[in-house]
Amino acid sequence: MKKVVKFGGSSLASAEQFEKVGDIIRADESRRYVIPSAPGKRFDGDTKVTDMLYGCYALADEGKKFDAELKAIKERYNEIISGLKLDMTLDPEFEEIEKNFKAKAGRDYAASRGEFLNGKIMAKYLGYTFVDAAEVIKFDENGDFDSEKTNELLGKKLSKLDNAVVPGFYGSMPDSKVKTFSRGGSDITGSIVARAAHVDVYENWTDVSGFLVADPRIIDNPEGIETITYKELRELSYMGAGVLHEDAIFPVRIEGIPINIRNTNKPTDNGTWIVESTCQKSKYTITGIAGKKGFCSITVEKDKMNSEIGFGRRVLNVFEDNGISFEHMPSGIDTLTVFVHQDEFMDKEQRVVSGIHRLTNPDTIEIEADLALIAVVGRGMKSQRGTAGRIFSALAHANVNVKMIDQGSSELNIIIGVSNNDFEVAIKAIYDIFVTAQLA
Ligand code: ASP
C-alpha cells in the first residue's frame, strides 16, 4: 500500500501543528510521499506566509526596502525549526531569496518559496528526501501545466525513492522560471504526485473532517459526506464548496485513485472519500446541496424560435463576443434564457441586448437580476422516484418561488433558480426534507 499525503497551511502553521503531522505520517508507513503547503494562519487574524511573501515581493518589485518583511517571514520558519528542536538553518536559502527578490525573479517565484522552505523543514523533520518541485512539475511556454511531461519526469524520480517530500503549489517553465498554480494549488500537486507514483490513496489533510452536505453558514451543524464521486464533487465544487482545489481531481481521475479528505486536528475522523464510482449508497437520497448568489437571466423571446436554425448559436455568440461565460441555458418553445454571473455582465448589458437584437431580431428581451442558483446533487437520484417532487413541494411550503429548473440528463443534479432573497430559506427547506426528516 502506498499513499500520498498532502497537508494544508493550517496543518503546518506552527511547530505544534507540525508535530501532529509527524505523528500522522509515522502512524502509517504507507504514507510515503508528503506534499506540504506553506505555513498558514496560526490563529484568526494571522497572515499566511504565502500572503507575506506576495507583500514582501511587491516591495522588492517597486525597488523599495523589504528587509523587515523578509525577516518576519524568516521568523515564522525559525519558530517552527526551534519548536521542533531541529538542527538546521535556512540562512543560505534566505540569502538566495533576498538576492533573487532584488533581481526581480517574479511574483510566482516569491510565492513558491513558502512551500519550498516548508518542504525543507518537513524533509529534515521526517528524514525523507527533498525533491524540488521545480525539477519535476513542468509548465509549457504558455504557462499551461504540462501533465504528460510532468508525469514522466516525476514518475521516474519517485520510482527511485521510497520516501520523499515534494513541496506543493509550484513547478517551472521550459526557461526554468518558477510558476505556481492558482491559490490553494498544493492540492493539485498532491494529485499529480499520487498519479505519478501510482499510489492507492491520496490523503488530503486539512482543518475540517471532509465535505458537508450543506454550507454550515446556512445550516447549523450539517451532516458530513462519507463518500462522493468525482462527478458529484464537480457539480458541487463549481458552486463553491471550497475544501479542495477544483482542479485537484483531474490528475487522480486518470488513474482512478481515491482522495480521502482528513482533519489533522481530528485524525480519527474518517473524513470524506472522493471516488470514481461506488456501490455505496449515500446516506440520504442527495449527496450535497450547494449554491451561489449573484446571477442574472436574459430571456430572449421570438415566435417560432424552435424552427429557426442557428438561433441559439447566434445568441451565445453575443455572449462570447463580449467575453461573458454562461452558466445555464434553459429553453422553451419560443424562449431561451441565458444565466450569467451578474458581475461579469452588468457593465456589458446594453451591448449584449443590442448585439442580440442585431443578430437574432427577437420579439422581446427581458433581464432579471439578483438570482441565485442552487445545485442539488446526488448519484442516488437516478434510481429513486419523487426526488424532484420532494424538492419542489418543500420549496412551495417554504414560500419560495422557483424561477428556473434544470435537470441534467445524467440525473446527477437538479439546478434550481430562485431570487437571492430566497437563497438561504430554499437551501434550508431542501436540507430539511432530505436530511433532517430522515434523521428524525
Ligand atoms: N500556499 C498557497 C496558498 O496559500 C498554496 C496552497 O496552500 O495550496 O494559496
Side-chain angles (χ1 to χ4, degrees), residues 40-68:
K41 293 184 183 182
R42 293 160 293 182
F43 44 83
D44 270 357
D46 196 15
T47 310
K48 289 177 165 192
V49 165
T50 308
D51 291 313
M52 296 170 86
L53 284 160
Y54 279 128
C56 182
Y57 185 73
L59 294 171
D61 202 31
E62 287 168 26
K64 293 189 180 144
K65 268 171 79 80
F66 58 88
D67 320 22

Side-chain angles (χ1 to χ4, degrees), residues 6 9 37-38 48 50 115 169 182-187:
K6 180 261 167 179
S37 278
K48 289 177 165 192
T50 308
E115 273 66 15
F169 192 36
S182 57
R183 294 300 303 263
S186 298
D187 286 339

